[in-house]
Each structure stands twice: as C-alpha cells, then as structure tokens.
Amino acid sequence: VPSPTPHPRFRDPTPANAGELASDDEYLEIQAIPRHRAGTYECTAINEIDADAQTVDITVNYAPSVSEGRDVGVTLGQRGLLECEADAVPEADFQWYKDDRKIFNGFEGMKILNSDSLSKLTFFNVSEGDYGNYTCVALNKMGSSNTSFLLYEVIEPTSSTLLQGPRAVQDGSGGVQGMHPPTCLLLLLLLLTALLPALLRI
C-alpha cells in the first residue's frame, strides 16, 4: 500500500508576522526580502499517518547604517572620546580618519576599541594637533556608510577672568574698561583745593 503523500506548508512563526507569510507548497519565495524578515521559519509536512516539522533560519544581510556623529569639545591636555555606532549584517568593520589620513590603533596617543556595533576613538592627552575633523567609516561586504565628527577646544576659565566677574568688559588690549579709583581721588583733591580759599573768606 503506497504511503499517503505529505502536504508541506511553510510559515513564519514570529508572533509579529504570524499569518503574513505562508505557503502550501514545498517552496517559500520572498521577493526583495527586507531586514525585518530575518528569523526562523517552520516547514510542516502532514499526511494521514503523521506530521513532521523542521525549522530554517534565515539571515538577511544589509549594508551598514551609522548614527549621526556628535561634535565633542575637550580641554587641552584632557581625555577625549568619539563614538561611532553602526547597524549592519554581517557586523561592520570600522575605520577612522582625520581629514584624509587613516588612523591606526596606538597612533599618536589614540586608541581604537571596536565592540560589536560600536567603535570608540579615545584621546588620552588631547594636544593642539588633535583638534579638527574626523570621519568614521563602517563597512561590510554589502556596502559602507560614514559619519563625521568635530573635536574642538574648550577653554577653561582662568583666575583673572574669575576675579573680573561676569560684569567685566574687555577692551581691545585685554584690559578692563571702567573708572579708575586713583584718578577720581585726584580730581576730588584738586576741586577741594580750588574751593578752600572761598570757604575760608565766609
């Protein structure tokens, strides 16, 4: 007696996609598959005697997409950090550039640390030459993407600017404009000297 012919059926068991993708054939074709269709699919074969099910994992590869870079201000001599994040399958490799020059790990006091989808460029002692424009490039076999950063200098307040206070107004030579107490005192003495004879005659 010939065995009953099984009837295979494919479906996406993901709760969010349940019922959206199904096939009553031994093949399941997905046209222009988007990245959210990645996951585990189930094929079920049923006949009058028994049923069997097998799962298939589908990975959707796509080019990197990087988050927009943020400009960072750092005081001279302090520690600086630039972070670059990329979404990609397979995982992206990262490359850093200052202007058009590629940066290598350990170059001029910089350290590059890559972990999964994140790359960090660390400056342990920021110098004048470190300030400028940086580019992070994320790439895999599907393509590449990049984002830019600006590392700029932050000036710390000095003791002289703190003593002048927020109301101090700087002139072109760097001095503080305003009345000078010694000059005022001299004018007052001259005025009293001129008036003294008239006061004595009263």
Side-chain angles (χ1 to χ4, degrees), residues 12-14 33 35-41 56-60:
D12 181 356
T14 308
I33 185 169
R35 66 180 67 177
H36 74 270
R37 288 297 186 187
T40 302
Y41 288 76
V56 178
D57 292 324
I58 294 181
T59 300
V60 180

Side-chain angles (χ1 to χ4, degrees), residues 136-157:
C136 169
V137 180
L139 63 162
N140 64 11
K141 64 181 182 181
M142 304 300 295
S144 64
S145 182
N146 65 78
T147 189
S148 298
F149 302 81
L150 175 64
L151 185 71
Y152 61 91
E153 184 176 6
V154 174
I155 306 297
E156 286 188 341

Side-chain angles (χ1 to χ4, degrees), residues 15-32:
N17 300 327
E20 293 185 20
L21 282 179
S23 172
D24 291 329
D25 199 352
E26 58 186 305
Y27 301 102
L28 175 64
E29 183 177 1
I30 306 174
Q31 298 284 350

Side-chain angles (χ1 to χ4, degrees), residues 72-152:
V72 176
V74 182
T75 303
L76 191 67
Q78 299 299 310
R79 182 177 179 272
L81 177 65
L82 301 179
E83 293 184 332
C84 180
E85 189 172 9
D87 178 26
V89 177
E91 278 187 3
D93 294 321
F94 292 92
Q95 296 176 354
W96 285 92
Y97 294 84
K98 186 178 190 299
D99 299 323
D100 294 327
R101 183 182 60 175
K102 187 175 180 179
I103 300 172
F104 295 94
N105 201 12
F107 178 72
E108 294 184 352
M110 304 178 195
K111 181 179 180 181
I112 300 173
L113 178 63
N114 298 329
S115 176
D116 298 328
S117 61
L118 184 66
S119 180
K120 297 181 180 181
L121 176 61
T122 302
F123 306 81
F124 292 100
N125 185 4
V126 172
S127 65
E128 290 282 357
D130 291 328
Y131 296 121
N133 295 304
Y134 291 80
T135 301
C136 169
V137 180
L139 63 162
N140 64 11
K141 64 181 182 181
M142 304 300 295
S144 64
S145 182
N146 65 78
T147 189
S148 298
F149 302 81
L150 175 64
L151 185 71
Y152 61 91

Side-chain angles (χ1 to χ4, degrees), residues 47-65:
N47 62 15
E48 297 174 359
I49 300 175
D50 202 359
D52 191 21
Q54 296 291 332
T55 57
V56 178
D57 292 324
I58 294 181
T59 300
V60 180
N61 295 329
Y62 51 91
S65 174

